[in-house]
Amino acid sequence: MVAPEQPLLPGEEVLGPEFERKAEEIIGQYPASRRSASLPLLHLWQEEFGFLSERAVEWISTKLGLKPIHILELVTFYPMLHVRPSGRINFKVCRTLSCALAGSHELFAQIRARCGATVAAGHGIYVSPDGSYSVEFVECLAACGSAPAMMVDEEEFERATIDTVERILAESREKEAAQGA
Amino acid sequence: MAQDGAVPNPTREHRIILRYADLPGYTPDIDCYLQHGGYQQLRKALAMDPAAIVAEVKASGLRGRGGAGFPTGTKWGFIDHAKNRKPVYLLCNADESEPGTFKDRQILYKDPHQLIEGMIISSFANHAHLAYIYIRGEMARGARILERALAEARAKNFLGANILGSGYDLDIFVFRGAGAYICGEETGLIESLEGKRAYPRIKPPYFPAALGLYLCPTIVNNVETLCNVKHIVEMGGAAYAKIGTPNNTGTRIWCVSGDVCRPGYFEYDGGAITMGELLYDVCGGIRNGNRLKALIPGGSSAKVLRAGEVYRIRRKNAAGAMEEVEMRLEDLPLDFDTIAASGSMSGSGGIIVMDHTRDMVECLDNLSAFYAHESCGQCTPCREGALWMRKVLDRMTGGQGRPEDPQLLLDLAGQIAGRTICAFGEACSWPVESFVAKFREEFESKAVAKEEQGRLQATH
């Protein structure tokens, strides 16, 4: 749940024609009720811009002919929806029993230490002071048989260790170097 | 994804649903599926009368694989198509998020067309022309695999208008959840799909078949259940009913996690394997040379079973008469009815194993943290009670236990179960009631203040 001291950030996001096209395609999948497109549009926005701003709530509610509160109540209910930017690399570590038995809590502490994720950003997310890295616990990633489970963006990692984390960080550095070159 | 299920199976595993999923070279592509006989059952079904398909599903004895084990054919039969004038919707519940359960993901990621074929047949049988797959938000990759598979199916006219010239129209879309466990409850799922907070609906009506999505008749089935429909059409309901035991027909996928040497997912005929065989022969026993202490047999909300327990099970003998037999935990055949008779439930099929070194107060604290986080907050007993139980357990594992804590936990659990709109009240109470009752000495020992910090909860 969003704490009262964390109002939505204002947004200046630029929506391209491709974004508008995707939004219309999503709305078309719910012929009986445009309101059903609320959560899919929130996902679309978050994937594009990283988090949900005040602008996101206004734009989606207008698009669907709803009141902003109808969108805001989803933002504050669903744990995957974020009202603050998380790190450029966001580690999601499974907190629940099978993963805990396999050491996910130790892994969480290791990632926090490795990335310097010391700033509490609400919703249980810890971010590094420069905003590069973040780590959060999530409830059950449905990979209990190959615990501990972790996610970075859409990629899923099973039997994750701090070595897995090091590999992800190294790959990210390489990618950035290639882009900068 | 690691091949967590690709471990050798020395025992009588019978893969129907997972037959191809782990086959070397098998891909989620439609061509691969077609090469393995895919969509043949759809052709067969489209030539049948929808009512005849419902009758086959009833005859098969198929029980829902999502957790409650309700007979699928009966659920389908609740819609009176002669009187109904509203659209019918079919929803696939792919919001698998019961801790300990990871079976549906294997089907979604590795064999998506099996689910899609099962859904098309099920939609046809129930006169539905629009269906949605409600998939866990965390399974973003799974959602993309499914979207691709649906596009492939559309391109070959297995979906869309006039499917294979039958005159039947259907489309299926993927809907991603956003991390809320309560969306697995079928009316919560419907509310979420309608664009609202996933607050479960007040009952009655007890089934969305009466009043579901957009107040229309709606069938909600689990991934594994819908896949089974394809195989029922293939072999016929009567032949399917011969697999397993009466009332526990077909196969079930069991997921084993926690302190075993070889965790994974395994598919067996109903009642064909015992708990002991699964743990020791299939999963290689308890890891690190430790001993079994306890297990949760059907996802985290099932009541815990303690090693060394003996159960008095009433069951039908070969002659059909009722008899009562004594069984150890290891001897329990894995089926809906026997696990229920042991005082727990087979639920979603997720077995979580704890070895003798585990602190049961910490394990329960971990589960209670899950339920406190996941309560949707609609009903006061659940919202406040789940959090209160978690706070008591946090205090105990943090070394600040009080003598009254074990009884307080039991009182709280007793005040939640049965007093909420949905079964989440029971889901968060049953682990507490069973852990405290069966490991009373550990809870009493922790109910005394001492300086210590829980190992499983040390980091937040």
Side-chain angles (χ1 to χ4, degrees), chain A residues 29-30 36 43 47 73 76 78 80 95 97-98 101 105 139-142 144-145 151 154 156 158, chain B residues 1 102 105 109 132 136 138 144 175-178 192-193 196-197 214 257 263 358 366 370 456 459:
Chain A
Q29 294 179 355
Y30 306 96
S36 283
H43 273 303
E47 274 166 26
E73 69 176 13
T76 56
Y78 292 95
M80 283 180 76
R95 194 205 56 77
L97 187 56
S98 299
L101 294 174
H105 290 247
E139 302 293 339
C140 195
L141 287 175
C144 324
M151 273 183 85
E154 288 190 9
E156 297 151 7
E158 302 181 34
Chain B
M1 302 282 286
F102 49 100
R105 185 218 280 268
Y109 281 46
Y132 294 99
R136 285 197 71 181
E138 289 87 344
R144 292 194 199 287
F175 185 98
R176 272 182 72 195
S192 180
L193 188 45
K196 302 175 212 157
R197 288 183 162 198
Y214 312 131
S257 63
R358 297 301 181 180
N366 181 287
F370 172 80
L456 292 179
T459 51

Side-chain angles (χ1 to χ4, degrees), chain B residues 78-147:
Chain B
F78 289 147
I79 303 178
D80 184 348
H81 294 290
K83 288 190 186 154
N84 176 48
R85 294 289 171 267
K86 291 179 175 176
V88 175
Y89 295 99
L90 184 112
L91 307 180
C92 170
N93 187 344
D95 191 60
E96 181 175 76
S97 43
E98 173 87 3
T101 315
F102 49 100
K103 64 189 174 73
D104 294 342
R105 185 218 280 268
Q106 311 306 328
I107 302 166
L108 295 165
Y109 281 46
K110 296 172 181 170
D111 200 2
H113 283 287
Q114 181 182 202
L115 170 65
I116 293 168
E117 186 175 7
M119 281 185 73
I120 303 170
I121 297 170
S122 303
S123 298
F124 176 69
N126 287 292
H127 302 252
H129 296 284
L130 189 55
Y132 294 99
I133 304 172
Y134 192 111
I135 187 171
R136 285 197 71 181
E138 289 87 344
M139 294 185 189
R141 200 160 69 83
R144 292 194 199 287
I145 291 170
L146 279 170
E147 274 164 3

Side-chain angles (χ1 to χ4, degrees), chain B residues 41 45 98 148 156-157 177 230 243 276 287 363 367 403 419:
Chain B
Q41 279 67 55
E98 173 87 3
R148 181 168 174 269
K156 295 215 184 279
N157 193 218
K230 166 190 153 78
I243 303 171
R287 65 183 170 198
C363 289
L367 292 179
R419 289 175 166 80

Side-chain angles (χ1 to χ4, degrees), chain B residues 186-250:
Chain B
E186 59 185 3
T187 61
L189 184 153
I190 288 170
E191 288 284 308
S192 180
L193 188 45
E194 289 184 356
K196 302 175 212 157
R197 288 183 162 198
Y199 290 146
R201 291 181 178 172
I202 292 170
K203 286 102 179 160
Y206 290 97
F207 289 94
L211 212 58
L213 186 65
Y214 312 131
L215 304 182
C216 296
T218 302
I219 298 292
V220 187
N221 284 138
N222 169 259
V223 174
E224 189 187 343
T225 313
L226 289 165
C227 288
N228 267 293
V229 171
K230 166 190 153 78
H231 301 284
I232 290 166
V233 167
E234 181 175 11
M235 60 182 91
Y240 183 93
K242 291 201 177 99
I243 303 171
T245 58
N247 210 35
N248 295 279
T249 59

Side-chain angles (χ1 to χ4, degrees), chain B residues 251-275:
Chain B
T251 60
R252 276 209 80 176
I253 303 172
W254 299 94
C255 317
V256 189
S257 63
D259 295 324
V260 289
C261 293
R262 291 194 298 270
Y265 48 89
F266 313 96
E267 187 174 350
Y268 285 93
D269 292 355
I273 186 169
T274 65
M275 186 70 84

Side-chain angles (χ1 to χ4, degrees), chain A residues 20-37:
Chain A
E20 299 264 5
R21 189 198 63 76
K22 280 187 193 164
E24 290 299 334
E25 185 188 321
I26 287 169
I27 293 166
Q29 294 179 355
Y30 306 96
S33 167
R34 290 171 77 85
R35 189 171 179 175
S36 283

Side-chain angles (χ1 to χ4, degrees), chain A residues 110-169:
Chain A
Q110 286 172 331
I111 300 174
R112 275 191 67 185
R114 172 65 183 78
C115 297
T118 50
V119 183
H123 245 307
I125 302 180
Y126 292 90
V127 187
S128 62
D130 66 354
S132 291
Y133 309 111
S134 55
V135 55
E136 62 179 312
F137 265 133
V138 289
E139 302 293 339
C140 195
L141 287 175
C144 324
S146 40
M150 181 174 78
M151 273 183 85
V152 176
D153 296 327
E154 288 190 9
E155 204 170 345
E156 297 151 7
F157 299 88
E158 302 181 34
R159 298 186 182 89
T161 64
I162 192 65
D163 289 342
T164 319
V165 174
E166 292 293 353
R167 205 174 64 235
I168 294 164
L169 294 175

